[in-house]
Amino acid sequence: MTLKLALWLLWTGFIAYILLLAPPLHLDETLTLLKNIFTFQWAAINPIILSLFSLVGIWLLIYSSLLFIDGRMQPIPFWPFAVASVGSGVIGLLPYLALRKPNQQFSGQ
């Protein structure tokens, strides 16, 4: 129960940070950066930003592969949270982790 409460508090903290404390979004710069990433014009991008962008996707893929297997034995499916995490990162995964039930036994092939 303490872990679930901690996950909900962490999720609430992330949402509060985004709404109240995050720096303002400069839409022109962000769209230019995303356009350069997706059109493979990587020479115009800071390599640290490019590597962090890539690592977020890699960790999401690794973690999702584990949770898709875990989601087969859960009362709620994992796929809606995986879709949400593509656009929001960990903010989309935390509600699933807080709502899931611990698996003590594996039932399947």
Side-chain angles (χ1 to χ4, degrees):
M1 189 62 178
T2 306
L3 178 62
K4 289 183 183 277
L5 180 63
L7 288 171
W8 282 117
L9 287 174
L10 184 63
W11 184 75
T12 306
F14 280 140
I15 297 295
Y17 171 77
I18 289 170
L19 295 176
L20 303 173
L21 300 172
L25 180 67
H26 301 288
L27 193 56
D28 295 337
E29 295 174 17
T30 304
L31 291 177
T32 303
L33 177 65
L34 288 173
K35 181 185 70 88
N36 287 340
I37 289 173
F38 291 130
T39 58
F40 301 108
Q41 297 174 358
W42 294 341
I45 303 171
N46 184 345
I48 294 174
I49 292 174
L50 190 58
S51 60
L52 288 174
F53 185 82
S54 299
L55 281 175
V56 168
I58 290 169
W59 279 111
L60 176 63
L61 181 67
I62 292 169
Y63 206 63
S64 290
S65 66
L66 296 172
L67 288 176
F68 271 116
I69 294 169
D70 177 67
R72 293 187 307 167
M73 297 178 288
Q74 295 295 323
I76 54 174
F78 174 66
W79 71 266
F81 299 96
V83 171
S85 68
V86 168
S88 66
V90 74
I91 294 172
L93 289 178
L94 283 174
Y96 176 78
L97 296 175
L99 293 171
R100 70 178 292 278
K101 307 279 187 236
N103 288 333
Q104 299 301 325
Q105 296 178 349
F106 177 75
S107 60
Q109 296 180 357

